[in-house]
Amino acid sequence: MKRYEAVAAHFPPGTRATQPAGGYFLWVELPEGVDSVRLMEDAYGQGISVAPGALFSAREGFANCVRLSCGSPW
């Protein structure tokens, strides 16, 4: 199973994942209303690290997006 397929299978309905060509990151767009900063905080408490989308926007966009690292093998 590819990583973006795993996201589709395990994340909420309406989630979209895009893997840029040649990159080690998966960009995940969660349903509207999801707060990726809160998700980051909750995930960190479980030993999971995600980067909230707001880190990648100068205008506080991408609030419902996260970046996942895919540099390590499954």
Side-chain angles (χ1 to χ4, degrees), residues 26-42:
L26 191 66
W27 185 254
V28 179
E29 182 180 347
L30 297 155
E32 288 294 325
V34 172
D35 180 350
S36 63
V37 172
R38 171 124 190 239
L39 175 64
M40 175 197 68
E41 292 168 347
D42 292 346

Side-chain angles (χ1 to χ4, degrees), residues 10-11 20 33-34 37 44 46 71-74:
H10 298 285
F11 280 57
V34 172
V37 172
Y44 187 75
Q46 299 294 314
S72 299
W74 283 110

Side-chain angles (χ1 to χ4, degrees), residues 4-25:
Y4 62 86
E5 292 170 337
V7 168
H10 298 285
F11 280 57
T15 299
R16 296 185 303 179
T18 308
Q19 184 171 1
Y24 291 104
F25 301 101

